[in-house]
Amino acid sequence: MRITFLGVRGSTPAPGEEFLRYGGHTSCVAIAHDGETPSLLLDAGTGIRRTSSLMGGEPFRGSIMLTHLHWDHVHGLPFCDATDRNDARVTLFVPDQLDGSDPLEMLSRGMSPPHFPVRADELRGDWYFVSLGASQLEVEGFSVLVEEIPHKGGRTYGFRVSDATGTVVYMPDHCPSALGEGPDGLGEYHPAALSLCQEADVLIHDAQLLKEELAAEAYFGHAAAEYAVELARHANVAKAVLFHHKQNRVDDDLDEVARRFGATPEVIVATQHTVLEL
Ligand SMILES: [Zn+2]
Ligand SMILES: [Zn+2]
C-alpha cells in the first residue's frame, strides 16, 4: 500500500512562503495498492487537485470517501483535473446525516447555485453518489471499517483501510474531549477510536491543537497533537502521523511540534509531500 499526502492543512487553505515546507492545501490522502496508481481518495479538500500528478496522464477511476462535509474536506472536488474529465469514473461516498437526504442532495446544499455554479452531478465523467453509514465494506479492493467519531457540526467518520500489505487509519477531524477529559486531560480513548486504531501500521490523526490550546479551543471540535500520539500508544500503532494542521501554524512552528515527542511511537508531522509505503 502506498499512502500519498496531497493536503494536510485544517479548516482553510494556507498559502504563503511561511507555509511552503508543510503545505497549505486542505485534507486529502491518496491510497494505492502496491505498484498501482491510486484508486481511493480520502476527503476532497483542496489537496485533491494534486491527484493528477500521481496518475501519469490517466483519469482517476476509483472511489472518494468523505469523512464529513465541512468545507475543508469537500472544496477541492470541482477543481480536480483527474476526476473532472470525460473518461473519469468516480464513486463518491457521502456521510449519511440521518435526515433522509440522498447523498447528492446533501452535497448540493453546499455545492450548487447560488453558493457555487456547478453541482457535483454536472462534473464530467461517470459519477456515482453513495450514502455512507457506519459499516464495514470493501472499496476498490480495500477493506474499510467506518466508525462515527465525535467532532462538531455534522456526522463525522474515522476510516480504517486495509489490504494484504497493511492498515492505515484516517481520523482528520476528531474531538475526543467532547466525551470527557479522559485519563490524561486530552480527551477520552473511546471504543470507536480504539477499534479503528487497534494494531494498525499508521494512524493519520487530527493535530489541529496543542495540549495548552485545548481549554480555549477544543470548542471548535478538534484534538491535541499529544492525544494523537497517546491514542497510537494506547492502540499499539507503530506510526502516528500528525495531520490537519491549524491554518496559522507556520513551518517553523510545526518543526517545534515535531520536537515535542520521543521515539516511540514514531511521530511524523505530515507535509503535503509525505509518502508512506506499507
Ligand atoms: Zn477539517
Ligand atoms: Zn471538520
Side-chain angles (χ1 to χ4, degrees):
M1 186 190 295
R2 188 181 332 102
I3 305 159
T4 305
F5 291 75
L6 299 175
V8 301
R9 191 63 53 174
S11 302
T12 193
E17 61 182 358
E18 64 274 49
F19 300 101
L20 283 180
R21 284 189 289 115
Y22 289 86
H25 276 306
T26 63
S27 299
C28 185
V29 173
I31 314 275
H33 294 292
D34 275 352
E36 299 181 10
T37 53
S39 55
L40 178 60
L41 298 171
L42 305 180
D43 282 332
T46 62
I48 198 175
R49 293 176 52 209
R50 302 178 62 235
T51 304
S52 51
S53 69
L54 307 176
M55 301 305 299
E58 294 296 309
F60 180 79
R61 292 201 175 100
S63 294
I64 303 172
M65 300 186 76
L66 303 177
T67 56
H68 64 309
L69 291 166
H70 290 169
W71 290 349
D72 53 321
H73 299 257
V74 299
H75 266 181
L77 201 57
F79 301 104
C80 177
D81 294 340
T83 55
D84 182 26
R85 51 187 275 181
N86 290 331
D87 49 0
R89 177 185 54 75
V90 182
T91 302
L92 180 65
F93 289 88
V94 179
D96 183 354
Q97 301 299 310
L98 303 175
D99 68 350
S101 299
D102 77 42
L104 179 60
E105 182 187 339
M106 180 56 62
L107 197 62
S108 297
R109 287 196 203 168
M111 186 179 166
S112 65
H115 307 286
F116 192 76
V118 177
R119 283 164 52 103
D121 58 343
E122 294 174 316
L123 295 171
R124 288 168 287 188
D126 294 327
W127 285 74
Y128 306 92
F129 301 93
V130 178
S131 188
L132 183 63
S135 53
Q136 171 82 54
L137 66 167
E138 292 292 316
V139 181
E140 309 297 342
F142 296 99
S143 170
V144 184
L145 172 65
V146 180
E147 290 265 16
E148 186 170 351
I149 56 174
H151 179 35
K152 178 175 179 143
R155 201 166 183 216
T156 300
Y157 295 135
F159 299 139
R160 176 185 175 97
V161 179
S162 305
D163 73 3
T165 63
T167 297
V168 57
V169 178
Y170 180 71
M171 302 170 73
D173 294 49
H174 181 205
C175 187
S177 59
L179 300 178
E181 286 190 354
D184 50 18
L186 299 170
E188 289 290 351
Y189 299 92
H190 56 89
L194 291 170
S195 68
L196 283 164
C197 294
Q198 207 61 50
E199 310 281 335
D201 298 294
V202 177
L203 168 62
I204 302 167
H205 194 279
D206 189 340
Q208 176 108 349
L209 301 176
L210 301 172
K211 65 179 178 190
E212 63 271 24
E213 297 169 338
L214 266 183
E217 299 181 55
Y219 168 79
F220 296 110
H222 293 283
E226 289 83 355
Y227 176 91
V229 175
E230 286 307 309
L231 175 58
R233 197 187 313 280
H234 278 269
N236 203 21
V237 178
K239 258 189 235 301
V241 181
L242 306 182
F243 188 78
H244 201 278
H245 307 310
K246 202 182 205 179
Q247 68 275 10
N248 58 1
R249 206 166 321 273
V250 300
D251 289 343
D252 291 348
D253 293 342
L254 287 167
D255 291 343
E256 287 295 322
V257 171
R259 288 195 267 273
R260 289 184 172 218
F261 301 102
T264 311
E266 182 185 352
V267 176
I268 297 170
V269 181
T271 81
Q272 69 181 38
H273 312 291
T274 300
V275 179
L276 300 176
E277 305 265 359
L278 302 187

